[in-house]
Amino acid sequence: MKPFDVYPINPINIVKANGSTVWDAEGNAYLDLYGGHAVISIGHTHPHYVQRITEQLNRIGFYSNSVEIPIQRELARLLGEVSGKVDYDLFLCNSGAEANENALKLASFYNKRKKVIAFSKAFHGRTSLAVAATDNPAIVAPVNETENVVFLPFNDETALKEAFSSYGEEISSVIIESIQGVGGIREASVSFLRLIRALCDQYNAVFIADEVQCGYGRTGLFYAQDYSGVEADIYTMAKGMGNGFPIGAISISPKFKATYGSLGTTFGGNHLACAAALAVLEVIQQDKLMENAAEVGAYLINELRQIEEIVEVRGRGLIIGIELPESLAHVKKDLLLKNRIFTGEAKPFVIRLLPALNITKQHADEFLSALKEHIKAVAVA
């Protein structure tokens, strides 16, 4: 047996990691500015994180949700405190796709409706309904196809109003990434997010903020959507929540009432996952990582916007998209192979930066210097 070949893989074997540095099997060091798709939020192998998980594993790693698990309540309390959503409830699962799947399901339970509004270039996961709400036909299998999801242009207020006018009481929920990740770090306008809130209120639909990639402190706010000044009904999260340990969750407003069996999971909320998530929140809080994300992110964005050859710089905090001209399409690959700097991408020519929230300005300068070198080399040629 061999692994099912579904991933394009860089020929690099990472065997050790610390902070924002990873090392390959030959001992070469790399600067990690991608964190495995925004997963590494407090840096690789953070000592508090390692200690928390080790101590928990030495006690108990797993038991099912059929018994009391006090560490879940501890996690819910701290998450409410750090996020500012103290009156919300928490449902724990294992991944971002599961978080979005459960959010969409909970919305449908709430108002007994089927129609979902999603947006162009959206990415919400690969489970059945989450992938149906993802704007990428290449990853939607025929069995996932449904007429219940309506895609609208991102940031198009007229189209949104028309959709509610047309479907009205059929609409169960609106799901949106306030800053699209796979879609190229595209930010929803404040007025667009406020319109979603107003229309959901008017029609008793559910506002779901997909915070799986853009949330968890990455923008300098805990939930990115909060820059709009309005609250969503459900916030979904995963990636940075466990710093590499699989965990996901939905934060649920008080308007929803829990019933036994409506949602469920075997592994979600297990002792070990909760210990990992608690460690992340404790480090975010104690080391003021949201403030650092805002500060270093603003520095990076400002410096990048001084580079004339860049088409556009998008994002806020430490979710940054750098759109390049086609003549610089090779730069992401060169950064990895020549400078040993990991970054991400969005098609066709966008470099995505999703580093740990505790990166320094020195890390930022290392990246900026390398990027400018490659741009200059093309200009000279």
Side-chain angles (χ1 to χ4, degrees):
M1 187 180 289
K2 60 178 178 59
F4 198 46
D5 188 13
V6 293
Y7 301 114
I9 293 176
N10 292 305
I12 301 167
N13 176 19
I14 298 300
V15 297
K16 187 175 73 168
N18 183 265
S20 290
T21 305
V22 297
W23 289 265
D24 65 20
E26 284 71 48
N28 298 307
Y30 295 74
L31 174 60
D32 185 8
L33 296 184
Y34 193 54
H37 312 299
V39 166
I40 301 301
S41 51
I42 61 170
H44 294 278
T45 60
H46 190 287
H48 179 65
Y49 175 80
V50 172
Q51 180 183 7
R52 255 288 199 176
I53 291 176
T54 302
E55 289 176 353
Q56 183 62 55
L57 186 57
N58 283 328
R59 291 193 296 271
I60 179 173
F62 171 83
Y63 205 79
S64 77
N65 288 294
S66 62
V67 299
E68 290 187 4
I69 304 178
I71 196 171
Q72 290 183 356
R73 293 195 294 272
E74 186 182 353
L75 174 57
R77 181 200 61 76
L78 187 56
L79 180 56
E81 177 184 321
V82 177
S83 69
K85 303 290 188 283
V86 294
D87 58 340
Y88 279 49
D89 288 340
L90 186 67
F91 175 77
L92 294 162
C93 52
N94 309 283
S95 68
E98 287 177 68
N100 285 327
E101 193 86 13
N102 280 290
L104 292 163
K105 184 177 179 181
L106 184 61
S108 185
F109 274 134
Y110 167 74
N111 53 28
K112 313 301 181 193
R113 302 174 189 170
K114 299 180 181 179
K115 196 74 73 180
V116 174
I117 301 294
F119 298 98
S120 57
K121 297 191 176 181
F123 187 95
H124 297 297
R126 294 176 181 270
T127 54
S128 185
L129 187 51
V131 78
T134 291
D135 186 24
N136 182 353
I139 67 171
V140 180
V143 72
N144 303 130
E145 294 172 357
T146 174
E147 295 180 356
N148 291 329
V149 179
V150 177
F151 288 99
L152 302 179
F154 191 67
N155 268 337
D156 189 328
E157 295 183 21
T158 300
L160 183 62
K161 291 175 184 175
E162 289 175 352
F164 269 91
S165 179
S166 298
Y167 298 110
E169 305 299 329
E170 297 177 58
I171 297 174
S172 174
S173 60
V174 178
I175 185 168
I176 186 170
E177 305 154 90
S178 57
I179 304 176
Q180 292 185 328
V182 174
I185 317 299
R186 299 185 183 276
E187 186 174 298
S189 69
V190 168
S191 61
F192 191 64
L193 293 168
R194 289 181 175 178
L195 180 61
I196 292 173
R197 178 69 278 166
L199 290 169
C200 285
D201 287 341
Q202 181 180 345
Y203 288 90
N204 196 33
V206 175
F207 181 177
I208 301 171
D210 180 344
E211 299 280 336
V212 171
Q213 184 169 132
C214 62
Y216 235 79
R218 182 157 293 281
T219 63
L221 300 171
F222 192 81
Y223 294 126
Q225 199 283 135
D226 287 348
Y227 68 72
S228 69
V230 296
E231 290 191 327
D233 297 309
I234 303 175
Y235 296 85
T236 68
M237 64 205 94
K239 294 189 185 298
M241 186 176 186
N243 203 54
F245 197 100
I247 184 171
I250 57 176
S251 184
I252 306 163
S253 83
K255 70 193 287 182
F256 299 91
K257 304 304 176 188
T259 58
Y260 288 155
S262 58
L263 303 180
T265 170
T266 296
F267 296 107
N270 67 75
H271 300 74
L272 206 52
C274 288
L278 273 167
V280 169
L281 286 173
E282 288 159 354
V283 172
I284 286 175
Q285 190 175 47
Q286 293 163 13
D287 293 354
K288 301 186 185 310
L289 295 194
M290 286 191 284
E291 293 87 338
N292 187 71
E295 180 182 344
V296 178
Y299 172 74
L300 258 170
I301 290 169
N302 181 64
E303 292 297 311
L304 287 164
R305 285 178 175 161
Q306 308 309 309
I307 302 174
E308 293 181 1
E309 291 82 357
I310 292 174
V311 174
E312 187 178 15
V313 180
R314 298 188 290 269
R316 61 174 66 207
L318 293 176
I319 176 167
I320 300 171
I322 307 163
E323 185 170 341
L324 300 173
E326 188 173 357
S327 60
L328 296 173
H330 62 282
V331 167
K332 177 189 177 295
K333 184 176 181 181
D334 286 348
L335 286 168
L336 178 60
L337 299 181
K338 296 179 180 179
N339 302 97
R340 299 194 178 111
I341 299 175
F342 275 102
T343 62
E345 67 178 344
K347 302 297 183 182
F349 311 119
V350 178
I351 290 176
R352 278 194 289 165
L353 301 184
L354 298 162
L357 307 187
N358 53 4
I359 67 159
T360 64
K361 285 186 178 179
Q362 288 73 27
H363 293 132
D365 286 336
E366 181 180 342
F367 166 74
L368 289 165
S369 177
L371 179 65
K372 289 174 183 177
E373 282 181 16
H374 291 298
I375 291 173
K376 182 180 179 181
V378 172
V380 170

